[in-house]
Amino acid sequence: MTDKLSLKIKFVNPEKQPLSSRKIRKIIFDYLNSKKYCGRIEIVISVVDEKTIQNINRCFRGQNKVTDVLSFGAGKVSPRKVSNQPILLGEIILCWQQIQKQYRDFSKSIN
C-alpha cells in the first residue's frame, strides 16, 4: 500500500460547471489529504439542472424538491485502509442554478 494519495475525478457534464475542474480537484484533494486518505481514490462529480436533481432527490431521498447538492457514498472506506486498487468513494451531484440562488439569498441575509 502507498502512503501517497492519487485522486481521479470523473466529471459528468463539465460544460455546466462554472468552476474549473482543476479548482474542484484541488479542493477535494486537499480535503482528502487533511483526513489522511491514501491510495488511489476515484470520485464522480455530476452537474445537472434543477429538474434532474429534483427527480434524483425524490427517487433516492423521498423529497420532491430542488436541492443544491446530493452525495452518494459507494461504501465506508477508512482513510488508512485504502489499497493500491482504485477505490470509488462515491458521486457528488451539483445543481449550479440552485447553488447560485442560495448564494444570492444567503448574501442578502448577511448584508
Side-chain angles (χ1 to χ4, degrees):
M1 183 171 84
T2 179
D3 285 341
K4 205 172 163 188
L5 174 63
S6 170
L7 178 62
K8 178 181 177 185
I9 300 176
K10 178 182 177 191
F11 290 95
V12 179
N13 298 326
E15 68 279 357
K16 293 184 179 182
Q17 70 188 39
L19 287 178
S20 74
S21 298
R22 177 179 277 168
K23 188 169 191 168
I24 291 171
R25 185 186 188 291
K26 181 177 178 358
I27 291 167
I28 293 172
F29 185 88
D30 289 349
Y31 173 78
L32 292 173
N33 240 350
S34 75
K35 297 296 181 185
K36 307 283 190 241
Y37 276 86
C38 59
R40 295 169 55 196
I41 304 290
E42 296 181 357
I43 296 174
V44 177
I45 297 179
S46 300
V47 182
V48 300
D49 60 22
E50 290 174 317
K51 183 178 179 181
T52 302
I53 205 159
Q54 181 175 356
N55 287 336
I56 296 169
N57 200 14
R58 184 181 66 248
C59 289
F60 289 94
R61 296 185 60 232
Q63 297 190 25
N64 190 21
K65 64 181 183 175
V66 175
T67 188
D68 55 348
V69 63
L70 292 169
S71 62
F72 298 94
K76 188 162 174 69
V77 177
S78 174
R80 298 300 294 173
K81 291 186 180 176
V82 175
S83 72
N84 284 329
Q85 297 299 315
I87 301 292
L88 176 65
L89 283 187
E91 181 173 9
I92 300 168
I93 303 172
L94 303 170
C95 177
W96 285 117
Q97 296 151 313
Q98 185 66 15
I99 291 169
Q100 290 169 335
K101 283 179 187 176
Q102 289 180 346
Y103 174 77
R104 285 190 299 270
D105 293 347
F106 181 73
S107 294
K108 288 177 190 172
S109 71
I110 60 172
N111 288 333

